[in-house]
């Protein structure tokens, strides 16, 4: 099997891994507390989930009909409530104030204003993955697409990158998967994102050299990247 192409995003440091472990533990504890609080309460299935369940059942029955195991696709006869997609709302000052007061979002889908986007970029300016956050905001790739992006699919001279792979997570494990055909596309890079990616590639190479040197020699505890880890795993 040929080696996988080198991915853009990135090696994780010891500090990153420890932060992930702390965050994961906090998530599991909060999830356990939520399940405990919901005991005895009936969960209402949303209309969107009903449609997904019905589509899965319909596909199963359709395959069974082809094999002669069933004669009728009963799922196709089910009438389900219409799915209402949540309406996106902008985080105005008034909505932010109400959210802070009640802890209730005005809509499941909320959109930052340009000022709020700028505040976020200022906040992550010194973050190791600033270039990645910048690309998410201004280029709009999906998370799994960005995680799987290999350097051969990036042209810093031509100012573009091509989405041709993605990473999906199933039962807390990551897998490489080809995206849907309509999702394969070429995305242009704006000048600022291109420069940030250029700086990131230089830093990534420096970290890889340091990491390789530590593997060959004695590795100081907690110094530099010591392993690769999902979801952002370069394999070059």
């Amino acid at each position: 099997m040929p080696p996988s192409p080198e991915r853009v995003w990135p090696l994780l440091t010891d500090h990153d891994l420890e932060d992930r472990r702390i965050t994961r533990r906090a998530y599991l504890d909060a999830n356990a507390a939520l399940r405990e609080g919901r005991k005895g309460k009936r969960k209402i299935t949303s209309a969107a989930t009903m449609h997904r369940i019905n589509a899965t059942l319909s596909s199963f029955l359709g395959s069974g009909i082809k094999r002669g195991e069933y004669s009728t696709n009963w799922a196709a006869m089910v009438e389900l409530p219409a799915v209402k997609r949540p309406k996106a709302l902008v985080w105005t000052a008034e909505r932010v104030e109400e959210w802070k007061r009640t802890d209730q979002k005005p809509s499941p889908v909320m959109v930052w204003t340009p000022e709020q986007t700028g505040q976020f970029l200022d906040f992550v300016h010194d973050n190791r993955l600033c270039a990645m956050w910048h690309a998410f905001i201004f280029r709009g790739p999906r998370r799994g697409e960005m995680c799987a992006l290999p350097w051969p699919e990036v042209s810093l001279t031509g100012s573009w990158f091509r989405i041709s792979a993605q990473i999906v997570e199933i039962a807390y494990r990551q897998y490489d998967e080809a995206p849907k055909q309509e999702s394969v596309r070429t995305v242009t890079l704006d000048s600022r994102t291109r420069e940030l990616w250029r700086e990131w590639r230089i830093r990534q190479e420096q970290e890889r050299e340091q990491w390789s040197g530590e593997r060959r020699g004695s590795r100081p505890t907690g110094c530099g990247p010591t392993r690769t880890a999902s979801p952002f795993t370069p394999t070059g």
Side-chain angles (χ1 to χ4, degrees):
M1 180 180 295
S4 301
E6 174 194 353
R7 289 184 184 146
V8 176
W9 310 105
L11 288 169
L12 295 181
T13 65
D14 286 341
H15 181 71
D16 294 330
L17 294 171
E18 182 60 25
D19 283 347
R20 284 165 63 91
R21 282 190 286 267
I22 293 173
T23 301
R24 180 65 181 164
R25 173 47 55 192
Y27 166 78
L28 292 175
D29 291 344
N31 213 21
L34 180 62
R35 289 196 300 271
E36 184 66 25
R38 284 179 171 175
K39 281 186 177 179
K41 297 181 180 179
R42 182 179 178 184
K43 182 178 179 181
I44 300 176
T45 304
S46 68
T49 301
M50 292 180 188
H51 279 268
R52 287 194 290 269
I53 294 173
N54 184 260
T56 301
L57 181 58
S58 180
S59 176
F60 170 78
L61 292 174
S63 298
I65 291 174
K66 293 178 181 178
R67 296 191 299 267
E69 299 173 355
Y70 305 101
S71 59
T72 306
N73 188 339
W74 297 281
M77 304 177 185
V78 177
E79 294 185 6
L80 297 173
V83 177
K84 296 181 180 179
R85 299 188 64 179
K87 185 177 181 181
L89 297 176
V90 176
W91 274 119
T92 61
E94 294 78 11
R95 287 169 179 157
V96 171
E97 182 178 351
E98 182 68 9
W99 166 65
K100 290 181 178 179
R101 187 181 68 84
T102 64
D103 200 31
Q104 297 292 323
K105 290 199 302 182
S107 170
V109 181
M110 299 300 297
V111 181
W112 286 345
T113 64
E115 291 77 14
Q116 291 163 345
T117 303
Q119 291 173 5
F120 173 78
L121 290 175
D122 289 341
F123 178 76
V124 299
H125 181 265
D126 296 326
N127 185 272
R128 182 167 173 270
L129 301 181
C130 174
M132 184 182 69
W133 303 125
H134 199 279
F136 273 129
I137 289 176
F138 291 99
R139 300 296 93 190
R142 299 179 178 90
R143 290 173 298 176
E145 294 171 345
M146 186 67 86
C147 295
L149 181 64
W151 276 116
E153 292 293 271
V154 177
S155 174
L156 295 177
T157 55
S159 297
W160 56 264
F161 64 96
R162 182 173 181 269
I163 299 296
S164 58
Q166 66 177 350
I167 289 179
V168 297
E169 181 176 309
I170 302 174
Y172 303 111
R173 296 186 63 181
Q174 286 83 36
Y175 301 89
D176 290 298
E177 183 179 276
K180 295 180 180 179
Q181 189 60 39
E182 59 268 23
S183 296
V184 176
R185 62 197 185 280
T186 299
V187 183
T188 58
L189 281 171
D190 60 277
S191 58
R192 178 56 180 161
T193 303
R194 181 187 62 206
E195 291 308 310
L196 288 173
W197 282 28
R198 197 186 306 275
E199 293 172 6
W200 163 250
R201 182 159 200 183
I202 294 172
R203 177 172 179 174
Q204 187 186 52
E205 289 297 330
Q206 292 172 344
E207 291 182 347
R208 182 173 287 108
E209 290 176 5
Q210 178 186 3
W211 178 58
S212 299
E214 290 173 355
R215 289 179 60 188
R216 289 192 296 269
S218 60
R219 184 182 310 166
T221 303
C223 178
T226 59
R227 57 169 288 185
T228 57
S230 295
F232 308 114
T233 309
T235 55

